[in-house]
Amino acid sequence: MNRFRTPLLWPLAALVALLVFNALASPGFFDVEWKDGRLYGTVVDICNQGARVPMLLALGMTLVIATGGVDLSVGSLMAVSGAVAAVQVNAGASLGQAVGLALLLCSGLGLVNGVLIAKVRLQPIIATLVMMVAGRGLAMLLTGSQMVPFKHEGLTFLANGAVGGLPVPIPLVLGVALLAGVALRGSAWGLFIEATGDNETASRLAGLPTGGVRLLVYAFSGLCAGMSGLLEASNIAAADPARMGDTRELDAIFAVVAGGTALTGGRFSLAGSLVGALLLQTLTLTLYNQNVPPAVAPVPKALVILVVCLLHSPKLREQWGRWRSPSPA
Amino acid sequence: MSGILQLHGIEKRFGDFAALRGVSLELRAGEIHALMGENGAGKSTLIKVITGVHAATAGTMELEGRAIRPGSPREAERAGISTVYQEVNLLPNLSLAENITMGRQAMWGPFIRHGEGRRRARAALARLGVEVDVARPLGACPVAVQQMAAIARALEQRARVLILDEPTSSLDAREVAELFGVLRRLRDEGMGILFVSHFLDQIYALSDRITVLRDGGYVGTWEAAALPRLELVSHMIGKPVAAAEACAAKEEASAGPRRGAVVEVAELERKGVAGPFSFALEAGGATGLAGLLGSGRTEVARMLFGIDPATSGSVRVDGRVVSLTSPRAAMAAGFAFCSEDRKVEGILPSLSVRENIVLALQASRGALRRLPRAEQEALADTFIKALHIKTRGPETPMGALSGGNQQKCLLARWMAVQPRLLILDEPTRGIDIGAKGEIEALCAELRRGGLAILFISAELEEVVRNCSRVVVLRDRQQAEVLEGGAISLRQIMETVAAA
């Protein structure tokens, strides 16, 4: 398991440090309570909120970044997904129909990203920027630019219900991560993704389906965004086309990079990204608990992320080693 | 003669691996000093320490009596140490002039005087006897011109010490002769030149003194005139002269069992690029492609492997026409291709040696039929042992290996798929003689196993030595096919040179 040692170390250390700080600064932080057949508490909230958006998005984003790309459209695709589901249930569709259609559409739009990148050979940042703008527009179109509230027990259960005492998003994201991990490492897709990100030309010349790899990761990223959008809409029992998922793609990128997957592509760690996302969510809540005004909260957040990313840099670690043991001149 | 660059006890460790163990070297003003050693001996690491890419773990450096400790190639260049690397590492999107004058541009206030820069670049290139449009992007120029631009850059930087790492591996004979003329002139002007090459002929033609490294350690320094070749080889491989003699002895190209034509290439052509070509490749036979730089050697390989597919003509395998529209299609037809450009088209630097080796095999099995980890490890171990790949283990990142060992891994990658036809484009470029011999011996063994080999090399001796049939190319077309006894250096040269 040496693959997991280095990428996980720093985000985990940062997470633990943050938790220790919270334990000291806000008494009752770790209190967990069993009520009406489910768990309540700050820690559960962090996991729940973390699972709903950053963790899910980070799963898809990890694979995209591992191929050396980036997906800026996930925030907008969240809005598309929420809008489709809300409009569908309001039109009397069943839960399965609404969810199925939303996920299908988001995976399809992710696939379009993949086609633009793998076949049309657009730069990932441009292709997904186009989809980011187009997706937001599509969500507006579907909802008539209005917030769409809905009353549908099944759909609201997704974010508010509990399975085995845990809020649904937690087991859901763990399940998706586990499935993805087993699928990628049990087949050769994991290797193909890492190879494509490390050297695309060499991978193509070794017979790898590099185009197929790209289609797959962008479609998966779209699917993850779709799931996240459903949970986000379910949480407030409404789809808000203008604000849903706004700038959340950046959270996902932060989580992935903090989790030890390099933006230049190659090696990836799903577990690292999940920890990175959890770190981000804990940080958000910590700042809120410390009464840092939401408007300035991004500043300390950015600093912590910077530190974690710097810790990942091999160059910096080498420099650090040089400071500690200056060689004889 | 005074020492212009002095190294004392240079040591470089990567983790607990010592790449250099106390190397000392004195480069004198007005000498050409050859640095020799096998793959992994530490030549590249030493150069990287001198040029500030790596910081030495211990030891000191003096340039003209002043202690230096360059923290980056830029600092080294400013101090007067310029380097021309094995793989040209300039900026392909900028013009030749910009590449040559970068960092020392002629300025007018905050503005770059491009006209003056072009004039200076032209002047620097003219000293090398190269006349080209200096406004062209570097990447659009042939590799030979790019190399010359790198050397011109050193001249333009008024370097006191010039380091050349395998500068001739991409140049043809005429260009090598021109380069050597320039280097001798620079030496006579008092520059200290450190020269790394695997071509013994070139070493002896050019250098005044020779320093040998082995396994990261310093072996010794000799006057070139007083060091017989065999002795040099024995110092490099660390074996007595008798063993070196055996190693250096030419291996006869044994014909191997002939099993008739496997691959027939008929009128293969890529419009406006190269062709047409017609030749046959036999099981157990090696066919060479010989010709000057730019004669179409690599283009043939790229057509056959479906990278730049042919626009007309056909290829038959065992009598059946195959479609070669992509590398995957070519692999399905039983073809394998080792590119001449290891860095860009070969290695996956951050993945492990194991993953690099199993890659093509896994690709041909498809993503869903994953090779079990234990089999991957067994495969990697087998090849590491069989090809004598020097690595700390199968999980070491590919990028940490020396060029020759990377090349062996790439050979292993293609041997693992058990192809019918193996296309080797410059398989021994930038590789020392020991590994060169091993790779040639490996090719012979593969042929005996019934594989057809298409062998491409700029070194005509190598083609003559290894091939039972040679297709001679001229001006991106097929000039002649030589077989058996008709193959000789002289015959190939005459065909290549024919008007």
Side-chain angles (χ1 to χ4, degrees), chain A residues 38 156-163 166-169:
Chain A
R38 64 176 286 184
T156 38
F157 176 82
L158 286 181
N160 301 300
V163 171
L166 289 171
V168 180

Side-chain angles (χ1 to χ4, degrees), chain A residues 151-220:
Chain A
K151 283 205 172 69
H152 188 280
E153 247 176 51
L155 196 51
T156 38
F157 176 82
L158 286 181
N160 301 300
V163 171
L166 289 171
V168 180
I170 299 175
L172 179 74
V173 76
L174 291 181
V176 172
L178 202 68
L179 265 177
V182 168
L184 291 172
R185 298 297 180 194
S187 74
W189 282 115
L191 173 65
F192 284 9
I193 288 169
E194 292 182 331
T196 302
D198 202 23
N199 186 344
E200 206 230 322
T201 310
S203 298
R204 191 160 42 80
L205 294 198
L208 259 56
T210 51
V213 165
R214 294 221 143 121
L215 294 182
L216 183 85
V217 298
Y218 285 97
F220 179 68

Side-chain angles (χ1 to χ4, degrees), chain A residues 187-188 198-199 207 267 327, chain B residues 69 328 347-348 350 355 367 370:
Chain A
S187 74
D198 202 23
N199 186 344
R267 291 270 183 238
S327 48
Chain B
R69 199 178 168 76
R328 284 176 72 73
I347 63 164
L348 308 176
S350 62
E355 286 163 313
R370 176 174 177 267

Side-chain angles (χ1 to χ4, degrees), chain B residues 42-172:
Chain B
K43 302 182 303 278
S44 295
T45 313
L46 185 64
I47 286 174
K48 283 179 177 162
V49 167
I50 298 174
T51 56
V53 176
H54 293 322
T57 320
T60 58
M61 280 196 277
E62 280 174 32
L63 182 69
E64 295 179 308
R66 281 181 301 112
I68 55 164
R69 199 178 168 76
S72 69
R74 193 178 156 80
E75 274 179 49
E77 207 172 50
R78 287 227 163 139
I81 301 176
S82 277
T83 316
V84 178
Y85 285 103
Q86 189 168 349
E87 275 128 355
V88 179
N89 60 340
L90 299 178
L91 307 167
N93 291 326
L94 296 188
S95 71
L96 285 172
E98 284 165 315
N99 269 293
I100 290 170
T101 58
M102 173 78 57
R104 283 177 56 102
Q105 299 93 337
M107 304 295 282
W108 186 75
F111 304 106
I112 292 177
R113 291 168 59 198
H114 284 288
E116 171 67 11
R118 281 196 289 274
R119 198 190 57 72
R120 274 162 45 186
R122 258 195 302 274
L125 281 169
R127 279 179 76 184
L128 296 174
V130 178
E131 269 186 46
V132 284
D133 176 10
V134 294
R136 270 180 89 187
L138 180 88
C141 298
V143 179
V145 173
Q146 297 188 19
Q147 191 98 54
M148 288 295 182
I151 296 168
R153 172 174 171 79
L155 296 185
E156 172 57 28
Q157 305 279 336
R158 303 187 199 295
R160 299 290 297 126
V161 170
L162 179 62
I163 300 173
L164 298 116
D165 190 357
E166 291 283 349
T168 59
S169 48
S170 312
L171 306 185
D172 66 34

Side-chain angles (χ1 to χ4, degrees), chain B residues 70-411:
Chain B
S72 69
R74 193 178 156 80
E75 274 179 49
E77 207 172 50
R78 287 227 163 139
I81 301 176
S82 277
T83 316
V84 178
Y85 285 103
Q86 189 168 349
E87 275 128 355
V88 179
N89 60 340
L90 299 178
L91 307 167
N93 291 326
L94 296 188
S95 71
L96 285 172
E98 284 165 315
N99 269 293
I100 290 170
T101 58
M102 173 78 57
R104 283 177 56 102
Q105 299 93 337
M107 304 295 282
W108 186 75
F111 304 106
I112 292 177
R113 291 168 59 198
H114 284 288
E116 171 67 11
R118 281 196 289 274
R119 198 190 57 72
R120 274 162 45 186
R122 258 195 302 274
L125 281 169
R127 279 179 76 184
L128 296 174
V130 178
E131 269 186 46
V132 284
D133 176 10
V134 294
R136 270 180 89 187
L138 180 88
C141 298
V143 179
V145 173
Q146 297 188 19
Q147 191 98 54
M148 288 295 182
I151 296 168
R153 172 174 171 79
L155 296 185
E156 172 57 28
Q157 305 279 336
R158 303 187 199 295
R160 299 290 297 126
V161 170
L162 179 62
I163 300 173
L164 298 116
D165 190 357
E166 291 283 349
T168 59
S169 48
S170 312
L171 306 185
D172 66 34
R174 190 180 52 84
E175 289 162 329
V176 168
E178 275 170 12
L179 171 65
F180 283 10
V182 171
L183 293 183
R184 289 194 189 100
R185 210 159 65 230
L186 293 174
R187 168 188 63 189
D188 296 341
E189 288 168 13
M191 192 184 266
I193 298 175
L194 191 63
F195 183 80
V196 179
S197 172
H198 289 117
F199 303 104
L200 287 184
D201 289 337
Q202 296 183 357
I203 295 292
Y204 277 100
L206 195 62
S207 54
D208 303 305
R209 292 195 303 158
I210 299 174
T211 291
V212 175
L213 303 183
R214 188 171 66 236
D215 292 332
Y218 174 78
V219 177
T221 301
W222 295 268
E223 294 286 334
L227 181 70
R229 285 186 184 213
L230 272 178
E231 212 169 294
L232 169 61
V233 172
S234 85
H235 286 308
M236 284 166 59
I237 63 179
K239 285 175 190 148
V241 172
E245 232 157 12
C247 183
K250 269 191 185 180
E251 184 172 334
E252 282 302 304
S254 62
R258 291 288 178 94
R259 294 173 197 177
V262 213
V263 181
E264 292 159 281
V265 177
E267 298 291 317
L268 198 66
E269 178 174 11
R270 184 167 167 88
K271 261 233 142 41
V273 178
F277 301 97
S278 301
F279 52 87
L281 300 156
E282 283 145 5
T287 301
L289 286 185
L292 296 175
L293 202 67
S295 63
R297 299 183 310 233
T298 297
E299 285 76 3
V300 175
R302 294 178 74 88
M303 274 195 272
L304 281 177
F305 201 60
I307 303 165
D308 301 319
T311 49
S312 65
S314 69
V315 177
R316 286 165 189 274
V317 177
D318 294 336
R320 281 185 303 112
V321 175
V322 291
S323 126
L324 303 171
T325 49
S326 70
R328 284 176 72 73
M331 281 170 71
F335 292 7
F337 170 63
C338 251
S339 166
E340 61 168 340
D341 195 340
R342 255 195 318 266
K343 201 158 84 180
V344 174
E345 301 188 334
I347 63 164
L348 308 176
S350 62
L351 297 197
S352 68
V353 167
R354 167 182 58 84
E355 286 163 313
N356 270 280
I357 289 176
V358 303
L359 197 67
L361 178 61
Q362 183 64 69
S364 64
R365 288 168 63 101
L368 298 181
R369 288 174 55 226
R370 176 174 177 267
L371 208 59
R373 178 71 185 238
E375 276 180 47
Q376 293 186 26
E377 278 166 6
L379 200 66
D381 272 343
T382 311
F383 281 114
I384 288 171
K385 288 208 186 80
L387 307 191
H388 306 293
I389 298 172
K390 259 193 211 167
T391 168
R392 292 170 66 194
E395 299 307 314
T396 304
M398 188 74 158
L401 268 58
S402 69
N405 285 305
Q406 289 178 350
Q407 185 68 32
K408 288 184 192 171
C409 289
L410 295 181
L411 272 176

